[in-house]
Amino acid sequence: MTTQIPVLEKIHSANDRIAAANRAALDAAGVFALNFMASPGAGKTSLVEQTVKRLANAVHVGMINGDIATSLDAERAQLAGATAVQINTGGDCHLDAVMLSQALPALDLNTIDLLIVENVGNLICPANFALGTHHNVLIASIPEGADKPYKYPGMYRGVDVLVINKIDLLPYVPFDMEFFRKGVEILNPGVTVFPLSCVTGEGVDAWIDWLRAQVKHA
């Protein structure tokens, strides 16, 4: 008779303990933290740039970027005015709580009001690992198509906030918003949604107003 070892459960249990420690460190410093998740090209870094620029006079933003290679996105965030740290996963398709715990000491949390963690770009692995952030934010984009909530239910089910980016492309790209929103609502009823365009700025003010309120509360 074979013995089954629940390795995945143990991995998640260990990750969750470290995520709790990350949250405690963030709370102690009064930092409000977001985990940005999306497919490649959906506009995570563009939203980081817009957020940093619009909050520059009132909120100090830190950014931790996770990518398999390069520091291109962290450099973009730094140029926009954020204090940025790069994590290169070397092939891993997600960030986990251990990686975040190793990056946090590179930031002076006492000087940061808002921390944005930009996860590795894909719609599967990042949904499975808690980091210790206060909210999970999914950036969807119009060119990806309206079927993504149906094809990646784990990601859409587990987020607190949904940003629908690139709405400026709606006149040019076939996208059934009603079908998309129905899929989201089935998986995640009442999720906070921000349709916006990082190119034109449409809808970004509502996102910024929400962020200001969250940071103030934290």
Side-chain angles (χ1 to χ4, degrees):
M1 184 175 180
T2 60
T3 301
Q4 293 184 347
I5 303 174
V7 174
L8 185 60
E9 181 179 340
K10 291 184 177 180
I11 290 173
H12 284 167
S13 177
N15 183 82
D16 289 347
R17 287 195 296 272
I18 298 171
N22 291 343
R23 172 72 70 85
L26 294 167
D27 287 343
V31 178
F32 179 66
L34 299 173
N35 176 21
F36 275 19
M37 298 180 287
S39 62
K44 296 189 301 297
T45 311
S46 295
L47 186 59
V48 171
E49 289 174 322
Q50 288 296 321
T51 299
V52 172
K53 291 175 182 177
R54 289 172 181 253
L55 293 176
N57 295 327
V59 176
H60 186 189
V61 182
M63 186 261 211
I64 295 175
N65 175 253
D67 262 322
I68 292 174
T70 82
S71 59
L72 294 174
D73 291 344
E75 291 167 10
R76 286 174 59 183
Q78 192 89 37
L79 287 173
T83 302
V85 173
Q86 179 68 45
I87 299 174
N88 288 131
T89 67
D92 287 346
C93 59
H94 63 275
L95 295 179
D96 59 29
V98 174
M99 296 178 195
L100 185 62
S101 71
Q102 293 171 343
L104 287 176
L107 296 169
D108 183 356
L109 295 181
N110 292 315
T111 66
I112 292 173
D113 304 304
L114 170 65
L115 174 65
I116 298 175
V117 180
E118 184 178 332
N119 219 310
V120 180
N122 79 76
L123 294 177
I124 303 175
C125 307
N128 297 321
F129 291 86
L131 301 181
T133 55
H134 295 89
H135 285 312
N136 290 324
V137 180
L138 173 61
I139 297 95
S141 68
I142 299 305
E144 292 175 68
D147 59 353
K148 293 303 173 288
Y150 303 90
K151 297 175 73 172
Y152 300 96
M155 176 62 77
Y156 279 82
R157 186 183 292 115
V159 298
D160 307 295
V161 180
L162 172 63
V163 173
I164 306 174
N165 191 21
K166 306 186 183 182
I167 60 171
D168 53 301
L169 297 179
L170 281 171
Y172 314 106
V173 177
F175 186 91
D176 188 337
M177 183 65 78
E178 182 178 353
F179 179 68
F180 176 82
R181 294 292 291 263
K182 180 180 179 181
V184 172
E185 186 64 23
I186 290 171
L187 294 167
N188 201 336
V191 65
T192 302
V193 180
F194 295 99
L196 56 79
S197 168
C198 290
V199 173
T200 67
E202 181 182 357
V204 177
D205 286 345
W207 160 253
I208 295 299
D209 289 343
W210 178 83
L211 268 181
R212 289 183 190 275
Q214 299 301 314
V215 171
K216 182 178 180 180
H217 178 73

